[in-house]
Amino acid sequence: MANIISDETIEYVGILAKLELSEEEKEAAKKDMGRMLDYIDMLNELDTSQTEPMSHVFSINNVFRDDVVSNGDDKENMLKNAPECKEGAYKVPRTVE
């Protein structure tokens, strides 16, 4: 275990996470953090020079469709369904006095 986590680091992480850790929990957290950092060090040893950087495992292209109007301006037919119309718009009861 090359990565030794100090007591100050555990205290600081506990403050950031708003945790109150007992001495046993602090020791367990130190060991866990050390193991995590050792694993990251092991991953850093891999040769990734032939690997393209990526933001996702799957190749994702732009999934947005073009914004195309499909129903057009059918104002007269829409206003036929309204109980009341005024000047080409829906007339609704007043809600604010």
Side-chain angles (χ1 to χ4, degrees), residues 15-33:
I15 290 169
L16 290 176
K18 298 185 188 282
L19 296 174
E20 293 182 22
L21 300 173
S22 67
E23 289 302 317
E24 297 83 26
E25 291 171 326
K26 288 178 186 177
E27 287 302 315
K30 282 171 57 173
K31 289 177 186 174
D32 287 343
M33 287 178 125

Side-chain angles (χ1 to χ4, degrees), residues 35-79:
R35 283 195 299 262
M36 285 185 255
L37 292 174
D38 288 341
Y39 184 72
I40 291 170
D41 286 344
M42 183 180 68
L43 292 175
N44 286 334
E45 294 174 6
L46 295 174
D47 178 26
T48 58
S49 61
Q50 302 297 319
T51 306
E52 290 290 322
M54 59 183 168
S55 61
H56 199 276
V57 177
F58 302 110
S59 60
I60 296 178
N61 296 325
N62 188 356
V63 294
F64 299 113
R65 62 174 171 76
D66 291 334
D67 191 13
V68 178
V69 177
S70 60
N71 60 354
D73 185 21
D74 200 12
K75 188 175 183 178
E76 276 77 32
N77 282 334
M78 289 189 286
L79 288 174

